Structures are given as C-alpha cells and as structure tokens.
Amino acid sequence: KRVAAINTKLRIRFATSHPKDITDNLPKTIADFPNICRSIHLPLQSGSTRILQLMNRKYTREDYMHRVESFRRYIPGCAVSTDIICGFCSETDKDFDFTCSLMEWVGFDYAYMFKYSERPGTPAAGKLNDDVPDEVKAARLKQIIDLQQKLSLASNKKDIGKITEVLVEGISKRSDEHLVGRNIQNKVVIFPRQRFKPGDYVNIRINRCTSATLFGDCE
C-alpha cells in the first residue's frame, strides 16, 4: 500500500510469494490500487499433496487452489504464473497427473518448468532417494511444457481485440521498427515504434498473438 501510494502513475508489481504465506489481504490490496499489476507469481512445484509434503512446502493441493480462487475472486482477469518441478523423488504417474490436472484447472498464463535434479546439502538430498529415471523426467518435462504452451496461447487469445495499457521497455530484439513492453498482467506486447520511448505508457489494441507474446497497434 505504501509503495503504491507514492505515485499513482508508478506501476508496481508484486513479484512472488510462497503460497503458505498468502492471506486474502494481498489480493484485496492489489485490487484497491489500479497501479499495482494484475499478476501474481505463485510457485506450485507439484500438484500432488503427497509430493508437496515431501518437498516440505507446507501447503496442500487444495490450499493452493484456494489461493488461486482468492486472486480470481478479488482481481478478475489476474494473470497467474508459476514454477513447476517434475520428477521429484518417488513421483509416480498419478502424482504427475495431479500436476497436469492442476495446471489445466488454474490455466496458468506462463510457467517456469524444470526436471528435478539432486542438489548437495539440501534436505531432499540427505533424506530422499532420487529414484525417477532421467528419461521419465525428460518425458514429463516435455509434456508439461507442451501443456503450458497450449494454456498460454489460450490465455493470450482472450486478449485479441482488447485495448491494453503497455509500459514501454525498449526496442524489440527482432525489429528496430517495433517496441516491446509489458501490460498490467505482465504480458509481453510488441507494437510499432512511432514516437514512443522507454517509460511511456501506450494504449495498444491487440490483433494477434503467440503463446509467449501479444502483438498490436497503437490506439
């Protein structure tokens, strides 16, 4: 609240939080300030309560779903991104299916996805057996990446035809004639350069998209 109140023209983004630490006060506060981005990064790691307990995450599948419902209730259209690990110690096909089904239930806008690898000095390395074959980890990683691309594309398609306010970040890497920025949902938007410069806010009408990027024209 204090940061957002400094300057109503200053865009604020609450980057991430551990799901176990979130209460309804966070989405309520975001909803109260139009300059706080309508996005939340909420690391999931696994959709299986059993695996979450082994990870010592201190929340269940149902707890996570409640957190997402809270954001969607107070902030309609809020973008939700996440982190996911597949192939954690003793992860079964059923555990992995729980992860995929929860991804579909949430409909994540984007995600950072990894296959588990043992790290020396961690509790998991000391107490748990890294027993999921690497080829299984690789296959599961590909499956969730493919699934997330479908979810991201479905999310971005909903923005086609809409006008969104974009904060200009700089020149697009692929074209000197286009700029790149992010909207209040933290989605990447590409649009014609014209007279704009980094730091400007520009209204862009979205006309097409990929799973990773929105494209549009200035209004």
Side-chain angles (χ1 to χ4, degrees):
K1 281 185 176 180
R2 291 171 61 191
V3 174
I6 291 172
N7 184 342
T8 57
K9 295 182 180 181
L10 178 67
R11 185 181 285 182
I12 305 298
R13 181 164 66 91
F14 183 86
T16 187
S17 183
H18 197 299
K20 71 179 178 61
D21 298 325
I22 289 180
T23 68
D24 284 350
N25 286 332
L26 179 60
K28 285 180 181 178
T29 300
I30 293 175
D32 286 343
F33 289 85
N35 60 324
I36 301 182
C37 290
R38 271 47 184 161
S39 68
I40 181 71
H41 187 75
L42 199 60
L44 169 62
Q45 308 304 3
S46 173
S48 165
T49 295
R50 186 183 76 83
I51 295 297
L52 290 172
Q53 290 173 342
L54 289 176
M55 290 177 169
N56 196 31
R57 294 290 291 173
K58 295 182 172 33
Y59 58 85
T60 65
R61 173 189 178 91
E62 290 71 28
D63 292 335
Y64 189 92
M65 294 172 74
H66 174 75
R67 295 290 175 260
V68 173
E69 287 175 334
S70 178
F71 276 92
R72 295 273 161 81
R73 179 168 66 253
Y74 292 109
I75 318 169
C78 180
V80 181
S81 57
T82 197
D83 299 330
I84 296 174
I85 294 173
C86 65
F88 189 78
C89 307
S90 81
E91 184 185 69
T92 64
D93 287 342
K94 184 176 181 180
D95 291 319
F96 179 68
D97 288 343
F98 278 134
T99 295
C100 293
S101 65
L102 191 51
M103 288 176 67
E104 292 179 320
W105 181 85
V106 177
F108 291 113
D109 293 87
Y110 54 95
Y112 300 96
M113 296 158 284
F114 311 89
K115 61 181 180 178
Y116 174 73
S117 59
E118 190 174 83
R119 294 184 180 179
T122 61
K127 299 178 181 179
L128 302 174
N129 182 23
D130 183 10
D131 56 357
V132 179
D134 193 63
E135 60 269 22
V136 173
K137 293 179 183 178
R140 290 176 180 172
L141 179 60
K142 182 181 184 306
Q143 185 173 334
I144 59 174
I145 289 174
D146 290 345
L147 173 57
Q148 184 54 50
Q149 286 184 332
K150 293 178 182 178
L151 297 175
S152 296
L153 182 59
S155 171
N156 285 347
K157 282 183 175 180
K158 294 178 183 178
D159 292 322
I160 294 177
K162 295 181 180 179
I163 297 174
T164 185
E165 185 182 66
V166 178
L167 174 59
V168 181
E169 294 183 351
I171 298 172
S172 170
K173 294 180 180 179
R174 296 189 176 184
S175 170
D176 291 341
E177 297 179 357
H178 289 80
L179 294 174
V180 61
R182 292 177 186 266
N183 67 8
I184 204 162
Q185 291 178 307
N186 201 37
K187 293 185 177 184
V188 175
V189 184
I190 303 291
F191 54 95
R193 185 170 181 176
Q194 297 189 15
R195 65 190 182 282
F196 306 113
K197 63 185 184 301
D200 287 344
Y201 290 97
V202 185
N203 287 325
I204 302 297
R205 183 181 294 276
I206 305 304
N207 52 39
R208 65 185 181 91
C209 71
T210 65
S211 61
T213 309
L214 301 174
F215 299 86
D217 293 306
C218 307
E219 277 293 299

mmCIF file of all heavy atoms in Angstrom, residues 90-118:
data_model
loop_
_atom_site.group_PDB
_atom_site.id
_atom_site.type_symbol
_atom_site.label_atom_id
_atom_site.label_comp_id
_atom_site.label_asym_id
_atom_site.label_seq_id
_atom_site.Cartn_x
_atom_site.Cartn_y
_atom_site.Cartn_z
ATOM 1 N N SER A 90 10.415 -40.077 -5.889
ATOM 2 C CA SER A 90 9.287 -41.013 -5.766
ATOM 3 C C SER A 90 8.037 -40.568 -6.514
ATOM 4 O O SER A 90 6.975 -41.180 -6.351
ATOM 5 C CB SER A 90 8.934 -41.276 -4.286
ATOM 6 O OG SER A 90 8.129 -40.245 -3.738
ATOM 7 N N GLU A 91 8.119 -39.537 -7.358
ATOM 8 C CA GLU A 91 6.944 -39.085 -8.103
ATOM 9 C C GLU A 91 6.429 -40.200 -9.015
ATOM 10 O O GLU A 91 7.147 -40.719 -9.867
ATOM 11 C CB GLU A 91 7.279 -37.855 -8.939
ATOM 12 C CG GLU A 91 6.073 -37.274 -9.679
ATOM 13 C CD GLU A 91 6.435 -36.121 -10.600
ATOM 14 O OE1 GLU A 91 7.124 -36.388 -11.635
ATOM 15 O OE2 GLU A 91 6.072 -34.968 -10.303
ATOM 16 N N THR A 92 5.170 -40.547 -8.855
ATOM 17 C CA THR A 92 4.539 -41.583 -9.672
ATOM 18 C C THR A 92 3.783 -40.944 -10.831
ATOM 19 O O THR A 92 3.636 -39.719 -10.908
ATOM 20 C CB THR A 92 3.549 -42.402 -8.836
ATOM 21 O OG1 THR A 92 2.479 -41.531 -8.409
ATOM 22 C CG2 THR A 92 4.232 -43.008 -7.612
ATOM 23 N N ASP A 93 3.273 -41.793 -11.721
ATOM 24 C CA ASP A 93 2.441 -41.284 -12.818
ATOM 25 C C ASP A 93 1.219 -40.554 -12.262
ATOM 26 O O ASP A 93 0.801 -39.522 -12.796
ATOM 27 C CB ASP A 93 1.991 -42.435 -13.722
ATOM 28 C CG ASP A 93 3.122 -42.986 -14.579
ATOM 29 O OD1 ASP A 93 4.145 -42.284 -14.735
ATOM 30 O OD2 ASP A 93 2.984 -44.115 -15.091
ATOM 31 N N LYS A 94 0.661 -41.075 -11.170
ATOM 32 C CA LYS A 94 -0.516 -40.444 -10.572
ATOM 33 C C LYS A 94 -0.170 -39.076 -10.008
ATOM 34 O O LYS A 94 -0.927 -38.105 -10.183
ATOM 35 C CB LYS A 94 -1.088 -41.348 -9.467
ATOM 36 C CG LYS A 94 -2.379 -40.814 -8.862
ATOM 37 C CD LYS A 94 -2.951 -41.789 -7.840
ATOM 38 C CE LYS A 94 -4.267 -41.251 -7.261
ATOM 39 N NZ LYS A 94 -4.842 -42.202 -6.256
ATOM 40 N N ASP A 95 0.968 -38.985 -9.332
ATOM 41 C CA ASP A 95 1.416 -37.689 -8.808
ATOM 42 C C ASP A 95 1.573 -36.689 -9.943
ATOM 43 O O ASP A 95 1.154 -35.519 -9.843
ATOM 44 C CB ASP A 95 2.753 -37.829 -8.077
ATOM 45 C CG ASP A 95 2.645 -38.615 -6.782
ATOM 46 O OD1 ASP A 95 1.660 -38.412 -6.057
ATOM 47 O OD2 ASP A 95 3.549 -39.418 -6.522
ATOM 48 N N PHE A 96 2.187 -37.122 -11.032
ATOM 49 C CA PHE A 96 2.411 -36.248 -12.180
ATOM 50 C C PHE A 96 1.088 -35.833 -12.809
ATOM 51 O O PHE A 96 0.918 -34.673 -13.217
ATOM 52 C CB PHE A 96 3.299 -36.949 -13.208
ATOM 53 C CG PHE A 96 3.560 -36.121 -14.434
ATOM 54 C CD1 PHE A 96 4.324 -34.969 -14.370
ATOM 55 C CD2 PHE A 96 3.032 -36.503 -15.672
ATOM 56 C CE1 PHE A 96 4.552 -34.207 -15.502
ATOM 57 C CE2 PHE A 96 3.257 -35.752 -16.799
ATOM 58 C CZ PHE A 96 4.026 -34.598 -16.727
ATOM 59 N N ASP A 97 0.140 -36.763 -12.873
ATOM 60 C CA ASP A 97 -1.192 -36.433 -13.411
ATOM 61 C C ASP A 97 -1.868 -35.347 -12.577
ATOM 62 O O ASP A 97 -2.581 -34.499 -13.119
ATOM 63 C CB ASP A 97 -2.072 -37.677 -13.464
ATOM 64 C CG ASP A 97 -1.658 -38.652 -14.556
ATOM 65 O OD1 ASP A 97 -0.906 -38.233 -15.466
ATOM 66 O OD2 ASP A 97 -2.081 -39.824 -14.500
ATOM 67 N N PHE A 98 -1.636 -35.383 -11.263
ATOM 68 C CA PHE A 98 -2.188 -34.337 -10.394
ATOM 69 C C PHE A 98 -1.618 -32.971 -10.783
ATOM 70 O O PHE A 98 -2.333 -31.961 -10.761
ATOM 71 C CB PHE A 98 -1.857 -34.632 -8.925
ATOM 72 C CG PHE A 98 -2.780 -35.623 -8.278
ATOM 73 C CD1 PHE A 98 -2.276 -36.659 -7.506
ATOM 74 C CD2 PHE A 98 -4.155 -35.508 -8.414
ATOM 75 C CE1 PHE A 98 -3.123 -37.577 -6.898
ATOM 76 C CE2 PHE A 98 -5.017 -36.412 -7.810
ATOM 77 C CZ PHE A 98 -4.500 -37.456 -7.051
ATOM 78 N N THR A 99 -0.344 -32.941 -11.125
ATOM 79 C CA THR A 99 0.268 -31.683 -11.555
ATOM 80 C C THR A 99 -0.362 -31.186 -12.852
ATOM 81 O O THR A 99 -0.743 -30.011 -12.969
ATOM 82 C CB THR A 99 1.789 -31.851 -11.744
ATOM 83 O OG1 THR A 99 2.397 -32.134 -10.479
ATOM 84 C CG2 THR A 99 2.418 -30.588 -12.326
ATOM 85 N N CYS A 100 -0.512 -32.066 -13.818
ATOM 86 C CA CYS A 100 -1.094 -31.669 -15.108
ATOM 87 C C CYS A 100 -2.526 -31.197 -14.950
ATOM 88 O O CYS A 100 -2.931 -30.187 -15.554
ATOM 89 C CB CYS A 100 -1.030 -32.841 -16.091
ATOM 90 S SG CYS A 100 0.639 -33.318 -16.584
ATOM 91 N N SER A 101 -3.301 -31.895 -14.126
ATOM 92 C CA SER A 101 -4.706 -31.512 -13.958
ATOM 93 C C SER A 101 -4.830 -30.168 -13.244
ATOM 94 O O SER A 101 -5.728 -29.374 -13.555
ATOM 95 C CB SER A 101 -5.478 -32.598 -13.191
ATOM 96 O OG SER A 101 -5.004 -32.737 -11.865
ATOM 97 N N LEU A 102 -3.919 -29.895 -12.316
ATOM 98 C CA LEU A 102 -3.972 -28.604 -11.626
ATOM 99 C C LEU A 102 -3.527 -27.467 -12.558
ATOM 100 O O LEU A 102 -4.074 -26.354 -12.494
ATOM 101 C CB LEU A 102 -3.100 -28.630 -10.369
ATOM 102 C CG LEU A 102 -3.265 -27.435 -9.417
ATOM 103 C CD1 LEU A 102 -4.732 -27.192 -9.087
ATOM 104 C CD2 LEU A 102 -2.469 -27.652 -8.136
ATOM 105 N N MET A 103 -2.562 -27.745 -13.422
ATOM 106 C CA MET A 103 -2.177 -26.751 -14.429
ATOM 107 C C MET A 103 -3.383 -26.368 -15.279
ATOM 108 O O MET A 103 -3.624 -25.180 -15.550
ATOM 109 C CB MET A 103 -1.068 -27.311 -15.328
ATOM 110 C CG MET A 103 0.295 -27.434 -14.664
ATOM 111 S SD MET A 103 1.526 -28.202 -15.763
ATOM 112 C CE MET A 103 1.697 -26.926 -17.025
ATOM 113 N N GLU A 104 -4.140 -27.367 -15.696
ATOM 114 C CA GLU A 104 -5.319 -27.104 -16.530
ATOM 115 C C GLU A 104 -6.397 -26.377 -15.736
ATOM 116 O O GLU A 104 -7.078 -25.499 -16.268
ATOM 117 C CB GLU A 104 -5.851 -28.420 -17.091
ATOM 118 C CG GLU A 104 -4.909 -29.061 -18.106
ATOM 119 C CD GLU A 104 -5.447 -30.378 -18.648
ATOM 120 O OE1 GLU A 104 -6.017 -31.146 -17.832
ATOM 121 O OE2 GLU A 104 -5.315 -30.622 -19.849
ATOM 122 N N TRP A 105 -6.564 -26.736 -14.472
ATOM 123 C CA TRP A 105 -7.577 -26.087 -13.639
ATOM 124 C C TRP A 105 -7.267 -24.594 -13.464
ATOM 125 O O TRP A 105 -8.153 -23.742 -13.587
ATOM 126 C CB TRP A 105 -7.655 -26.771 -12.281
ATOM 127 C CG TRP A 105 -8.691 -26.168 -11.368
ATOM 128 C CD1 TRP A 105 -10.026 -26.479 -11.332
ATOM 129 C CD2 TRP A 105 -8.487 -25.152 -10.392
ATOM 130 N NE1 TRP A 105 -10.662 -25.700 -10.383
ATOM 131 C CE2 TRP A 105 -9.744 -24.878 -9.795
ATOM 132 C CE3 TRP A 105 -7.366 -24.433 -9.954
ATOM 133 C CZ2 TRP A 105 -9.905 -23.926 -8.786
ATOM 134 C CZ3 TRP A 105 -7.529 -23.483 -8.952
ATOM 135 C CH2 TRP A 105 -8.782 -23.245 -8.379
ATOM 136 N N VAL A 106 -6.015 -24.291 -13.175
ATOM 137 C CA VAL A 106 -5.621 -22.887 -12.998
ATOM 138 C C VAL A 106 -5.630 -22.162 -14.342
ATOM 139 O O VAL A 106 -6.104 -21.033 -14.445
ATOM 140 C CB VAL A 106 -4.223 -22.773 -12.351
ATOM 141 C CG1 VAL A 106 -3.804 -21.298 -12.251
ATOM 142 C CG2 VAL A 106 -4.200 -23.417 -10.972
ATOM 143 N N GLY A 107 -5.098 -22.826 -15.394
ATOM 144 C CA GLY A 107 -4.927 -22.154 -16.675
ATOM 145 C C GLY A 107 -3.830 -21.109 -16.587
ATOM 146 O O GLY A 107 -4.027 -19.933 -16.915
ATOM 147 N N PHE A 108 -2.652 -21.519 -16.118
ATOM 148 C CA PHE A 108 -1.547 -20.584 -15.918
ATOM 149 C C PHE A 108 -1.266 -19.782 -17.183
ATOM 150 O O PHE A 108 -1.304 -20.304 -18.298
ATOM 151 C CB PHE A 108 -0.273 -21.331 -15.503
ATOM 152 C CG PHE A 108 -0.334 -21.922 -14.130
ATOM 153 C CD1 PHE A 108 -0.331 -23.295 -13.956
ATOM 154 C CD2 PHE A 108 -0.404 -21.110 -13.016
ATOM 155 C CE1 PHE A 108 -0.385 -23.855 -12.683
ATOM 156 C CE2 PHE A 108 -0.461 -21.657 -11.735
ATOM 157 C CZ PHE A 108 -0.452 -23.025 -11.568
ATOM 158 N N ASP A 109 -0.942 -18.501 -16.982
ATOM 159 C CA ASP A 109 -0.601 -17.649 -18.116
ATOM 160 C C ASP A 109 0.805 -17.974 -18.627
ATOM 161 O O ASP A 109 1.055 -17.919 -19.825
ATOM 162 C CB ASP A 109 -0.706 -16.180 -17.707
ATOM 163 C CG ASP A 109 -2.148 -15.801 -17.411
ATOM 164 O OD1 ASP A 109 -2.591 -15.988 -16.268
ATOM 165 O OD2 ASP A 109 -2.844 -15.340 -18.336
ATOM 166 N N TYR A 110 1.700 -18.267 -17.735
ATOM 167 C CA TYR A 110 3.011 -18.792 -18.126
ATOM 168 C C TYR A 110 3.637 -19.484 -16.931
ATOM 169 O O TYR A 110 3.162 -19.353 -15.805
ATOM 170 C CB TYR A 110 3.937 -17.697 -18.683
ATOM 171 C CG TYR A 110 4.140 -16.490 -17.804
ATOM 172 C CD1 TYR A 110 5.219 -16.386 -16.946
ATOM 173 C CD2 TYR A 110 3.255 -15.416 -17.863
ATOM 174 C CE1 TYR A 110 5.410 -15.266 -16.156
ATOM 175 C CE2 TYR A 110 3.434 -14.289 -17.075
ATOM 176 C CZ TYR A 110 4.518 -14.231 -16.223
ATOM 177 O OH TYR A 110 4.693 -13.109 -15.431
ATOM 178 N N ALA A 111 4.693 -20.259 -17.189
ATOM 179 C CA ALA A 111 5.293 -21.048 -16.122
ATOM 180 C C ALA A 111 6.774 -21.289 -16.416
ATOM 181 O O ALA A 111 7.196 -21.327 -17.570
ATOM 182 C CB ALA A 111 4.570 -22.384 -15.986
ATOM 183 N N TYR A 112 7.521 -21.434 -15.347
ATOM 184 C CA TYR A 112 8.925 -21.850 -15.427
ATOM 185 C C TYR A 112 8.959 -23.311 -15.000
ATOM 186 O O TYR A 112 8.560 -23.639 -13.874
ATOM 187 C CB TYR A 112 9.795 -20.983 -14.518
ATOM 188 C CG TYR A 112 9.746 -19.524 -14.865
ATOM 189 C CD1 TYR A 112 8.880 -18.668 -14.200
ATOM 190 C CD2 TYR A 112 10.542 -19.003 -15.888
ATOM 191 C CE1 TYR A 112 8.814 -17.321 -14.524
ATOM 192 C CE2 TYR A 112 10.480 -17.662 -16.224
ATOM 193 C CZ TYR A 112 9.622 -16.828 -15.536
ATOM 194 O OH TYR A 112 9.564 -15.499 -15.870
ATOM 195 N N MET A 113 9.438 -24.176 -15.877
ATOM 196 C CA MET A 113 9.327 -25.619 -15.653
ATOM 197 C C MET A 113 10.694 -26.288 -15.689
ATOM 198 O O MET A 113 11.533 -25.970 -16.544
ATOM 199 C CB MET A 113 8.399 -26.225 -16.715
ATOM 200 C CG MET A 113 6.976 -25.699 -16.610
ATOM 201 S SD MET A 113 6.028 -25.861 -18.155
ATOM 202 C CE MET A 113 6.736 -24.526 -19.132
ATOM 203 N N PHE A 114 10.891 -27.215 -14.778
ATOM 204 C CA PHE A 114 12.189 -27.869 -14.632
ATOM 205 C C PHE A 114 11.986 -29.348 -14.292
ATOM 206 O O PHE A 114 10.949 -29.730 -13.759
ATOM 207 C CB PHE A 114 13.003 -27.226 -13.498
ATOM 208 C CG PHE A 114 13.066 -25.732 -13.546
ATOM 209 C CD1 PHE A 114 12.097 -24.970 -12.902
ATOM 210 C CD2 PHE A 114 14.064 -25.086 -14.247
ATOM 211 C CE1 PHE A 114 12.146 -23.585 -12.939
ATOM 212 C CE2 PHE A 114 14.119 -23.702 -14.295
ATOM 213 C CZ PHE A 114 13.154 -22.947 -13.640
ATOM 214 N N LYS A 115 12.997 -30.135 -14.571
ATOM 215 C CA LYS A 115 13.012 -31.509 -14.059
ATOM 216 C C LYS A 115 13.914 -31.537 -12.830
ATOM 217 O O LYS A 115 14.916 -30.822 -12.759
ATOM 218 C CB LYS A 115 13.473 -32.506 -15.119
ATOM 219 C CG LYS A 115 14.882 -32.303 -15.670
ATOM 220 C CD LYS A 115 15.194 -33.357 -16.720
ATOM 221 C CE LYS A 115 16.612 -33.157 -17.275
ATOM 222 N NZ LYS A 115 16.964 -34.191 -18.276
ATOM 223 N N TYR A 116 13.537 -32.338 -11.869
ATOM 224 C CA TYR A 116 14.255 -32.374 -10.599
ATOM 225 C C TYR A 116 15.675 -32.893 -10.774
ATOM 226 O O TYR A 116 15.930 -33.859 -11.486
ATOM 227 C CB TYR A 116 13.513 -33.272 -9.602
ATOM 228 C CG TYR A 116 14.276 -33.477 -8.310
ATOM 229 C CD1 TYR A 116 14.377 -32.459 -7.374
ATOM 230 C CD2 TYR A 116 14.914 -34.687 -8.043
ATOM 231 C CE1 TYR A 116 15.076 -32.637 -6.188
ATOM 232 C CE2 TYR A 116 15.619 -34.883 -6.865
ATOM 233 C CZ TYR A 116 15.695 -33.853 -5.939
ATOM 234 O OH TYR A 116 16.408 -34.039 -4.775
ATOM 235 N N SER A 117 16.591 -32.217 -10.095
ATOM 236 C CA SER A 117 17.970 -32.704 -10.002
ATOM 237 C C SER A 117 18.441 -32.512 -8.567
ATOM 238 O O SER A 117 18.185 -31.478 -7.949
ATOM 239 C CB SER A 117 18.898 -31.946 -10.968
ATOM 240 O OG SER A 117 18.894 -30.556 -10.688
ATOM 241 N N GLU A 118 19.086 -33.518 -8.054
ATOM 242 C CA GLU A 118 19.517 -33.508 -6.656
ATOM 243 C C GLU A 118 20.603 -32.462 -6.434
ATOM 244 O O GLU A 118 21.552 -32.352 -7.222
ATOM 245 C CB GLU A 118 20.034 -34.889 -6.275
ATOM 246 C CG GLU A 118 20.282 -35.068 -4.800
ATOM 247 C CD GLU A 118 20.660 -36.503 -4.469
ATOM 248 O OE1 GLU A 118 21.858 -36.841 -4.619
ATOM 249 O OE2 GLU A 118 19.765 -37.281 -4.099
#
